[in-house]
Amino acid sequence: MAVFDTPEEAFGALRPVCVQLTKTQTVENVEHLQAQLQAVSDSALQELQQYILFPLRFTLKTPGPKRERLIQSVVECLTFVLSSTCVKEQVLLQELFSEISACLYSPKSQKPAAVSEELKLAVIQGLSTLMHSAYGDILLAFYEPSILPRLGFAVSLLLDLAEQEKSKQIKIAALKCLQVLLFQCDCQDHPRSLDELEQKQLGDLFASFLPGISMALARVITGDFKQGHGIIVSSLKTFYKTVSFIMADEQLERISKVQPKPAVEHRVAELMVHRETKWVKNTSDKLTILIKKIIECVSGHPHWKVRLALIELVEALLLKCSQSLVGSAGPLLKALVGLVNDESPEVQAQCSKVLRHFADQKVVVGNRAFADILSENLHSLATSLPRLMSSQDDQGKFSTLSLLLGYLKLLGPRVNFVLNSVTHLQRLSKALIQVLELDVTDIKVVEERCWNSGPLGASETAATQPRSPMQRRYFRFFTDERLFLLLQQVCQLLGFYGDVYLLIDHFMELYRESVVYRKQAAMILNELVAGAAGLEVENLHENHIKTSTEELREIVTSILEEYTSQENWYLTTCIESEEVGEELTMKQSGLQAITSGAHTCQVTSFPAFSKPSPTICSMNSNIWQICIQLEGIGRFAYALGKDFRLLLMTALYPVLEKAGDQTLLIRQAATSAMMDICHTCGYYSLQHLINQNSDYLVNGISLNLRHLSLHPHTPKVLEVMLWNSDASLLPLVADVVQDVLATLDQFYDKRAASFVGVLHALLAALAQWFPDTDDLRQLQGESAGEAGSHLSQRPAASEKGLENTTTAEDMELFLLNYLKEKDVADGNVSDFDNEEEEQSDPPKVDESDTGPDVEPPLPVQIQIATDVMERCIHMLSDKNLKIRLKVLDVLNLCVVVLQSHKNQLLPLAHRAWPPLVHRLTNDDPLVVLRAFKVLRTLGGKCGDFLRSRFCKDILPKLAGSLVTQAPVSARAGPVYSHTLAFKLQLAVLQGLGPLCERLDLGDSDLNKVADACLIYLSAKQPMKLQEAARRVFLHLMKVDPDSTWFLLNELYCPEQLTPPHPSLHPVQLRGTMGQGNPYAANVLCLLQELQ
C-alpha cells in the first residue's frame, strides 16, 4: 500500500472514509478508517488531526445506546491517532479527556460501567496516550482548578479499576495511567522538569485527591497476596510518588498562611485544598496510620521485588517529607533497618545503599527528631528483646535482631547519646546478656577428651590461613547460626561507634558480677574489641574516627589480665579423680593375662572428696568460658595486628597451658588462638611461633617449677612446646629437663601423672629429632641378608663341601661354635660370663681422643634418655594403672633413642628386665599389651643380650597363654574381636615371629613357639589370628626352613611323597590329605611360600 506523505494526498484518501463514518457509525467503517491511517505519514496526520478526530468524536457524542465493540474500535482508533500526533490546543485536550473518560461512565452508579475488559483496557490506554501527546505548556495549562471535577472523575475511575478489577493487566494499566495523570510516570520525556511554582500549582491541585488515592492504594497494597507482586509494586510506587510530591517539605515551606481565592466557580473552589499547617498535621496523622498498615503487610511479603519497592518508598518519604511526615519516621526507619539482612541479595544491597545515602546526607544524624525516635525505638526494642527471643520463631528472631542492627547502623556515632543514658545502657546490655545465654546441658562437651598427647594438628603454615573458624556453640533461646552472626555484628557496631572505654568498663563489671553473666560478657567483650578495631564493620559514616592502636592495646591488656587471672583461667573442667589419675577398675569377665594362674584386678576405693563434686552443667560452663576467653585472645591478636607481639610475653604462656588440656574443646580453642597469633604476628607456623618465643617460655617454666603447688599446669606448657618444636629447642630445655626430673623425684606421689606426660613428649621429640638412620639402614640390611642366608645356608654348605675339601681345622672350629651357640641357646651361660665376654673385646679408641682412657662426652639427647630411663625403671611398679601404661610408652621410646649407644642401653635393660617381666606376667591386660610392645622393641635393639632371659622368663608363659586361649577364641563369635583377650592374643602372635628371628632362638625354643602357634592355623580361629599365625611361620621359615616344612607336613600333607629311586623306602608323614582338615588352607599357603 502506498504511503501518503503530503496532507493533500492523505486528505484525498481519508475524506471518503471519514464522510462514510460520519454518516454510518459502524465497527467496519472505524476499522476501515484505521486501516487507511496506517498508510499516512505522521506529519500528514498532524496536519489533518482535527479532521480525522471529528468523525471519531462525533461517533462517541451521538446520543443513544451504542455497541461496546463500536466504542472500543473508536477509542482504539483515537489512541492510534494520538500516539502519532501532538495535541496543541488546550480545549481539544480537555474535551478529548472528558470524552474518553465518559466511555466508562455509568449514570446508575458511581462505579465504572459494567463493560468488557477489552473496552476498559482501551479507555485506560487512550487516556494515557492522550496525556503523553499533550504539547509542552498545553499540558500544564490543562491542570487548572477548573479541571478538578473532570480530573477527579478520571482519578476515581482509575482507582476503582485498580481496586475492583480481576484482570491483572487492567489493574497494572490503571495504576500506570494514574501515575501519568499525577505527573509521576517513569517516561524520560514526560513529564518535563517543573519549576518551583509549577510544582506548587500541581501540588495544590493534587492535594484534593490525596485522601482518596492513598486509601484506595493502601487497600490494594494490603489486599490478597494472590493478586500478584506486580500490582503491589505498581501500587507502592504510585503511593510513594504521589505522597512524596504532595507532602514534600520544599513545597510546604512556601505555602502561605492565607488561602488565595481562586477565580473559579464556588462549587469548584470548595474542592480546592489549602496545604496549611493544620491540614498538614491532620493529613500526616492519617497517612501515618496507612503507612503502618502498608509496612506491616509488605515487609514480610514473599516476593523480593515488593520488599525492594518498600525500600524505595522509605527512601522517598524520608528524604522528601522528613518534616511533614515526622510521625511516620519510626515505622519507616523500622521497615528500612528490618531489611538490612534480607534473604534476597538485591534487597540487601539496595538497603545498604539507602543506609549509606542516609548517612552521607545526615538524614538521621542531622535530624534530632529522627535521632530521638531511633533512640526510643532502640530502648523499646532492647526492653522487649529477651521476651521476643524466647517467644518468636527463628525467622521472627532474625527480623528482630536485623532491626536492632539497623538501628545501630543508622544512629552511627549518635549511639553514644543512647549509651550515655544509664537506663538505655543497662537495658541494652542486659538484653544482650540474656539473649546470648548458652545451653550448657550437653554432656558431650565434658565427654570429648583428648587422651593421646601429640602435635596440635596445625603444622601447615599459618601465615596464609584466614581467621580460624569459631567453635559451634548452642544457645538457650535460638538455634539458627545466622542469629549469632547478627548478634556479633551488633556488638561490633557498638564497639565501633560507641564509647569503647564506657562499654568495656560496663561489661567488665558484668563479667565480674556473676558467673551467670561471665560467658556472655566475654563474648561481647571479644566482639567489642574487634569492632573498635574496625574488623568486619561496615562504616556508613565516613567522618567517624576509629579507636587508636595505643588505646586499643591498653584495653586488650586489661581484658587479658582479667581473662588469665587465677580465678577465671584455672576452672574445674573434669572430675578431680580423673585429673589426679585414679586407678581404673576393670572387670575381667573370664579374661586371662599371660600368667600361669587366673588374673585378678585390685579395685581401689575412691577417697571421699572434701568438697562436693562439680555438676555436668558447671563443668560445661567452665569449658565454654575458657574456650570463649581463648577465642577472645585470637580476636585481640587480629585487632592489634603486629602490635600484639608486645603482649606475647603475657598471652602465649597461658594459651600453651590450655593447648595441653585434655578437654578437646579447650585444646581446639587454644590451637585456633595460636594460629590466629601466628597469622597476625607474622609467624609462618606454630613451630616458628614457639621457637621464636622459647627463651621466655622456658624461663617461665623454670621459675614455676620451683613453686609447683601454685602452678600445677606448668608441665603442660613444656609438653606442648616439645610436641610442636624441633631440635633447636633442645639446648634451651636441657636444664629445664633436669629441673623436671628433680621435681619428679621430689613430688613423685602427687605429680607423677603430669610429669610422665612431659617425659613422653620429651622422648618422642628426641626420637623424632635424632633418628638413628645408620642403625636403621643396618637393621634393614641384616633382615634382608638373613632372609637369604638362612634359606640358602644348608644348600650352600653342601655345595661348598662338594666343591672344596674341608680341613680338620675347619671342622674343629665349626663344632666349637656349634657347642657354644647351643649352650647360649639353652641358657647355660650366665650374664656375668656375657659381660666378661663383652669386656674382653678390645675397645676401639678414637684417634682424635686426647688419651686412651678418656671417653668422649655423651650427646645431650643420650644423657637425657639415660636419666629418664632410670626413672622409668623405678616407676614401672607404680600402683596407678595410667602411670604404668604411660611409663611403658616412655620406656619404649628410651630404647629407641639409646639404640646406638649399647654401653648405656644394655645395663639399663638389665635393670629394667625384672619389673618388665612382672608387667608381662602378672598385671592388667592393658599393661600386658603395652609391656609386650616394649619387649618387641628391646628384642629388636638388644638382640642376643635378651635371648636367654626371654627363653627362660617369658617364652614358656607366652606359649602357655596362647595354648590356653586357643579353644576360647575358636568357639567365640564375632564380638570376641573387640575383647582385650583377643587383642592380647593378636599382639603376641604378631610379635613372636620378629622376636624369634631377631633373637635367633635355638631349635627347642623354636619348637615351643611352633607348637603354640600351630593351633591358630585352624580355620576355626578368627581370621586375624590366622593371618598373625601365618606370619609367625613365615618368620620361622627364615630361621629354620627345614623344621618348619616338616612340621607343616606333619599337620597336613598336600601330596604323596615319592622316593627319587626305587631302592629308597617311601616316606610316610602323619599329615592327613582329606578335605575336612581345618589346617589345609593355611598350611597349603605357607608351603607355597616356602617353595
Side-chain angles (χ1 to χ4, degrees):
M1 184 180 291
V3 176
F4 304 108
D5 292 328
T6 63
E8 292 78 11
E9 294 175 347
F11 181 75
L14 294 175
R15 185 175 179 276
V17 183
C18 290
V19 171
Q20 182 64 28
L21 178 59
T22 306
K23 291 179 179 179
T24 309
Q25 293 90 22
T26 62
V27 176
E28 291 75 13
N29 288 337
V30 177
E31 291 177 348
H32 188 199
L33 173 60
Q34 188 164 356
Q36 290 291 331
L37 291 174
Q38 302 283 345
V40 181
S41 66
D42 291 348
S43 58
L45 270 181
Q46 182 67 50
E47 293 292 332
L48 300 174
Q49 183 191 55
Q50 297 269 13
Y51 183 78
I52 298 169
L53 290 176
F54 175 78
L56 296 172
R57 295 175 62 193
F58 182 76
T59 302
L60 292 177
K61 291 178 180 180
T62 303
K66 304 179 188 69
R67 292 170 54 198
E68 286 185 15
R69 185 74 185 86
L70 175 62
I71 299 174
Q72 179 184 341
S73 299
V74 172
V75 174
E76 287 176 350
C77 191
L78 272 172
T79 302
F80 176 77
V81 174
L82 293 173
S83 65
S84 303
T85 60
C86 293
V87 178
K88 298 184 178 181
E89 296 181 9
Q90 181 180 352
V91 177
L92 177 63
L93 178 62
Q94 292 177 349
E95 291 177 353
L96 283 173
F97 184 82
S98 300
E99 291 164 4
I100 295 175
S101 302
C103 292
L104 295 182
Y105 174 66
S106 174
K108 297 180 182 180
S109 67
Q110 295 180 351
K111 295 183 178 180
V115 295
S116 65
E117 291 183 351
E118 289 79 7
L119 178 56
K120 292 176 182 177
L121 192 60
V123 171
I124 293 171
Q125 290 173 345
L127 281 175
S128 179
T129 306
L130 173 65
M131 301 308 293
H132 278 97
S133 67
Y135 187 81
D137 296 334
I138 300 300
L139 182 60
L140 287 174
F142 171 79
Y143 288 99
E144 58 184 12
S146 60
I147 201 68
L148 266 177
R150 282 176 280 185
L151 186 61
F153 171 74
V155 169
S156 61
L157 183 73
L158 292 171
L159 288 172
D160 284 336
L161 290 172
E163 188 176 357
Q164 305 297 336
E165 276 300 313
K166 294 182 179 179
S167 169
K168 292 182 181 180
Q169 188 179 7
I170 293 178
K171 282 175 171 284
I172 292 176
L175 290 168
K176 289 184 177 179
C177 184
L178 185 61
Q179 291 181 28
V180 173
L181 290 183
L182 298 175
F183 261 67
Q184 304 298 331
C185 66
D186 296 326
C187 305
Q188 293 182 355
D189 301 328
H190 180 275
R192 66 174 178 82
S193 57
L194 305 173
D195 58 27
E196 294 178 356
L197 186 61
E198 291 169 342
Q199 287 180 4
K200 178 181 177 301
Q201 175 188 342
L202 290 174
D204 289 338
L205 195 69
F206 295 156
S208 303
F209 310 136
L210 182 59
I213 292 174
S214 58
M215 292 175 68
L217 290 176
R219 287 194 295 269
V220 174
I221 293 168
T222 58
D224 191 358
F225 282 177
K226 296 177 182 177
Q227 64 185 327
H229 73 276
I231 296 169
I232 300 178
V233 170
S234 296
S235 301
L236 282 169
K237 287 186 176 181
T238 308
F239 181 89
Y240 76 73
K241 286 184 176 182
T242 305
V243 172
S244 63
F245 182 76
I246 298 171
M247 301 294 290
D249 294 335
E250 292 181 359
Q251 289 189 40
L252 297 177
E253 288 174 357
R254 294 190 293 271
I255 300 296
S256 60
K257 293 183 179 180
V258 181
Q259 181 179 9
K261 294 183 179 181
V264 291
E265 300 177 10
H266 178 68
R267 292 183 61 187
V268 175
E270 287 181 349
L271 299 176
M272 296 290 293
V273 168
H274 180 53
R275 293 182 291 171
E276 40 83 29
T277 306
K278 185 177 180 181
W279 179 88
V280 171
K281 179 70 170 62
N282 292 335
T283 305
S284 173
D285 293 342
K286 295 172 183 175
L287 282 173
T288 299
I289 298 172
L290 294 178
I291 289 171
K292 285 181 179 178
K293 287 179 64 177
I294 289 172
I295 289 172
E296 287 175 5
C297 179
V298 173
S299 58
H301 197 280
H303 202 283
W304 65 271
K305 287 187 177 179
V306 177
R307 301 196 299 275
L308 193 66
L310 178 61
I311 294 176
E312 295 172 1
L313 179 146
V314 173
E315 181 181 20
L317 296 185
L318 286 180
L319 286 176
K320 296 180 180 179
C321 313
S322 59
Q323 302 298 326
S324 58
L325 293 180
V326 68
S328 304
L332 289 171
L333 289 170
K334 183 177 180 179
L336 179 64
V337 298
L339 297 172
V340 167
N341 290 291
D342 193 86
E343 60 185 14
S344 168
E346 292 86 354
V347 176
Q348 202 174 99
Q350 181 64 21
C351 191
S352 299
K353 181 181 176 182
V354 172
L355 285 174
R356 187 172 291 278
H357 181 58
F358 279 7
D360 294 340
Q361 299 294 324
K362 296 187 176 180
V363 174
V364 176
V365 178
N367 189 324
R368 185 170 182 178
F370 279 13
D372 291 343
I373 290 171
L374 274 179
S375 301
E376 289 306 314
N377 286 358
L378 182 62
H379 180 260
S380 174
L381 182 60
T383 304
S384 58
L385 192 60
R387 176 180 56 80
L388 294 174
M389 294 302 286
S390 60
S391 60
Q392 290 178 321
D393 60 3
D394 276 1
Q395 188 56 44
K397 294 170 185 174
F398 186 81
S399 302
T400 302
L401 290 176
S402 297
L403 193 61
L404 177 61
L405 180 65
Y407 283 154
L408 294 175
K409 283 186 175 181
L410 272 178
L411 279 171
R414 285 189 71 97
V415 75
N416 276 322
F417 293 100
V418 180
L419 299 178
N420 286 334
S421 165
V422 177
T423 307
H424 284 63
L425 179 58
Q426 286 181 347
R427 286 283 187 188
L428 184 59
S429 61
K430 286 297 176 64
L432 291 174
I433 289 286
Q434 290 181 44
V435 170
L436 283 169
E437 185 176 352
L438 286 167
D439 180 10
V440 293
T441 57
D442 188 7
I443 193 172
K444 289 182 179 179
V445 176
V446 178
E447 280 183 339
E448 290 180 335
R449 312 285 287 168
C450 188
W451 298 110
N452 297 322
S453 300
L456 295 177
S459 56
E460 68 273 1
T461 57
T464 58
Q465 298 295 320
R467 190 166 63 84
S468 301
M470 193 175 296
Q471 291 169 316
R472 177 68 188 272
R473 57 199 61 174
Y474 299 93
F475 297 87
R476 275 193 61 190
F477 296 111
F478 60 87
T479 56
D480 194 340
E481 189 68 22
R482 297 179 305 159
L483 302 181
F484 179 55
L485 296 177
L486 281 179
L487 287 166
Q488 278 186 293
Q489 293 177 40
V490 166
C491 298
Q492 289 167 6
L493 279 179
L494 285 172
F496 187 72
Y497 290 123
D499 184 347
V500 68
Y501 282 107
L502 172 67
L503 290 167
I504 295 294
D505 287 345
H506 180 74
F507 282 101
M508 286 295 283
E509 287 179 9
L510 291 174
Y511 179 90
R512 300 186 188 102
E513 182 179 323
S514 170
V515 179
V516 179
Y517 299 156
R518 195 161 294 161
K519 296 180 294 299
Q520 303 94 296
M523 279 189 277
I524 296 170
L525 286 168
N526 297 345
E527 300 306 327
L528 286 175
V529 172
L535 298 179
E536 304 170 5
V537 175
E538 182 186 7
N539 183 15
L540 299 178
H541 307 268
E542 296 179 355
N543 297 329
H544 177 66
I545 302 173
K546 291 199 303 183
T547 309
S548 68
T549 306
E550 290 76 13
E551 293 175 331
L552 201 59
R553 190 167 64 245
E554 292 175 3
I555 291 169
V556 168
T557 303
S558 64
I559 299 176
L560 269 178
E561 289 176 358
E562 191 69 32
Y563 279 2
T564 57
S565 62
Q566 192 82 16
E567 61 274 12
N568 296 325
W569 196 249
Y570 303 105
L571 304 173
T572 304
T573 58
C574 61
I575 304 298
E576 288 184 7
S577 61
E578 292 181 1
E579 290 179 346
V580 174
E582 280 293 322
E583 179 76 21
L584 293 178
T585 61
M586 304 184 64
K587 294 181 180 179
Q588 296 309 310
S589 64
L591 179 63
Q592 188 174 14
I594 306 175
T595 61
S596 55
H599 176 77
T600 58
C601 184
Q602 297 294 330
V603 180
T604 59
S605 59
F606 288 83
F609 294 115
S610 57
K611 57 182 179 180
S613 177
T615 63
I616 295 294
C617 289
S618 66
M619 290 189 291
N620 276 353
S621 178
N622 291 339
I623 289 170
W624 276 120
Q625 183 184 331
I626 295 170
C627 289
I628 292 165
Q629 292 172 173
L630 285 165
E631 179 190 294
I633 293 175
R635 299 285 273 170
F636 301 159
Y638 270 91
L640 290 176
K642 296 280 187 182
D643 287 341
F644 193 76
R645 282 176 175 265
L646 301 174
L647 303 179
L648 276 181
M649 290 187 70
T650 55
L652 186 55
Y653 189 96
V655 175
L656 280 174
E657 280 184 338
K658 296 306 175 186
D661 200 283
Q662 285 188 347
T663 304
L664 185 61
L665 277 178
I666 294 177
R667 176 173 288 208
Q668 290 174 346
T671 305
S672 297
M674 291 171 68
M675 295 294 287
D676 291 339
I677 292 171
C678 289
H679 180 73
T680 54
C681 296
Y683 300 105
Y684 53 79
S685 67
L686 293 184
Q687 179 180 311
H688 188 215
L689 170 68
I690 291 173
N691 287 349
Q692 292 296 312
N693 299 280
S694 57
D695 48 356
Y696 62 82
L697 286 173
V698 169
N699 182 57
I701 293 169
S702 180
L703 291 174
N704 290 340
L705 280 175
R706 300 174 189 175
H707 308 283
L708 197 60
S709 58
L710 298 177
H711 307 282
H713 301 276
T714 302
K716 288 292 181 186
V717 182
L718 182 57
E719 185 178 343
V720 173
M721 289 179 66
L722 291 167
W723 277 119
N724 297 277
S725 189
D726 55 19
S728 62
L729 185 68
L730 186 58
L732 278 172
V733 300
D735 292 337
V736 175
V737 169
Q738 297 303 321
D739 293 342
V740 168
L741 294 175
T743 311
L744 173 61
D745 296 339
Q746 184 179 358
F747 296 100
Y748 169 79
D749 296 333
K750 299 177 181 179
R751 303 292 177 188
S754 58
F755 282 111
V756 171
V758 177
L759 298 182
H760 183 260
L762 174 63
L763 268 298
L766 293 179
Q768 181 184 355
W769 298 343
F770 304 100
D772 199 340
T773 53
D774 295 337
D775 193 61
L776 289 174
R777 195 179 300 113
Q778 180 183 354
L779 286 175
Q780 292 173 356
E782 286 178 0
S783 61
E786 287 174 2
S789 63
H790 282 296
L791 288 175
S792 60
Q793 181 178 8
R794 295 183 183 181
S798 62
E799 291 173 5
K800 184 177 179 183
L802 292 173
E803 293 175 2
N804 302 320
T805 304
T806 305
T807 63
E809 289 79 5
D810 293 336
M811 295 178 65
E812 181 183 1
L813 184 61
F814 171 77
L815 289 171
L816 289 173
N817 287 333
Y818 172 76
L819 291 172
K820 181 180 178 182
E821 289 182 2
K822 188 173 183 302
D823 289 338
V824 171
D826 292 339
N828 295 330
V829 180
S830 65
D831 295 340
F832 180 74
D833 295 336
N834 286 336
E835 291 174 5
E836 283 184 348
E837 289 178 8
E838 291 177 3
Q839 292 174 2
S840 63
D841 295 334
K844 296 181 180 179
V845 181
D846 192 356
E847 296 177 359
S848 61
D849 288 346
T850 55
D853 297 331
V854 178
E855 294 185 0
L858 291 174
V860 178
Q861 70 272 16
I862 302 300
Q863 185 60 54
I864 290 175
T866 303
D867 295 339
V868 172
M869 192 166 177
E870 286 181 355
R871 267 74 175 187
C872 289
I873 293 170
H874 296 295
M875 297 172 69
L876 275 175
S877 303
D878 194 279
K879 62 182 179 180
N880 190 312
L881 173 61
K882 283 185 181 180
I883 293 178
R884 293 202 301 275
L885 290 171
K886 187 69 82 172
V887 166
L888 285 167
D889 287 337
V890 179
L891 187 64
N892 192 59
L893 290 168
C894 288
V895 175
V896 174
V897 174
L898 293 172
Q899 60 181 310
S900 58
H901 289 69
K902 303 295 185 185
N903 291 339
Q904 280 70 40
L905 175 60
L906 296 181
L908 290 171
H910 173 72
R911 291 169 55 193
W913 185 255
L916 182 63
V917 171
H918 191 72
R919 301 284 76 76
L920 278 164
T921 57
N922 189 23
D923 208 326
D924 189 280
L926 285 173
V927 178
V928 174
L929 277 172
R930 206 70 60 91
F932 191 75
K933 180 183 176 183
V934 177
L935 176 64
R936 287 184 60 180
T937 307
L938 274 172
K941 308 305 178 187
C942 298
D944 296 342
F945 182 74
L946 290 182
R947 185 187 303 133
S948 62
R949 303 166 193 261
F950 173 75
C951 296
K952 178 181 177 183
D953 299 333
I954 302 297
L955 184 57
K957 294 179 180 179
L958 282 179
S961 174
L962 288 176
V963 172
T964 306
Q965 286 295 113
V968 178
S969 59
R971 295 191 306 266
V975 182
Y976 183 71
S977 62
H978 299 285
T979 63
L980 270 176
F982 172 82
K983 294 176 183 177
L984 197 57
Q985 284 173 284
L986 185 61
V988 171
L989 286 171
Q990 288 174 342
L992 265 181
L995 275 172
C996 291
E997 183 181 352
R998 183 63 183 153
L999 298 178
D1000 197 15
L1001 299 185
D1003 293 341
S1004 60
D1005 295 319
L1006 290 178
N1007 288 336
K1008 291 179 185 177
V1009 174
D1011 292 339
C1013 297
L1014 272 178
I1015 194 170
Y1016 289 95
L1017 294 178
S1018 170
K1020 298 178 182 178
Q1021 295 289 340
M1023 188 56 65
K1024 286 187 177 181
L1025 296 184
Q1026 293 181 49
E1027 293 174 1
R1030 285 203 304 268
R1031 284 196 290 271
V1032 172
F1033 281 96
L1034 287 175
H1035 285 283
L1036 293 181
M1037 289 176 188
K1038 298 177 183 179
V1039 181
D1040 193 350
D1042 295 340
S1043 297
T1044 306
W1045 178 89
F1046 183 76
L1047 190 63
L1048 293 173
N1049 277 280
E1050 284 283 290
L1051 194 61
Y1052 171 72
C1053 186
E1055 58 184 6
Q1056 186 68 37
L1057 300 175
T1058 57
H1061 194 273
S1063 63
L1064 298 174
H1065 296 288
V1067 177
Q1068 186 68 34
L1069 297 176
R1070 287 184 298 173
T1072 59
M1073 297 179 60
Q1075 294 295 326
N1077 192 327
Y1079 302 97
N1082 288 316
V1083 171
L1084 192 59
C1085 177
L1086 287 170
L1087 290 175
Q1088 288 174 354
E1089 288 284 337
L1090 188 59
Q1091 290 175 359

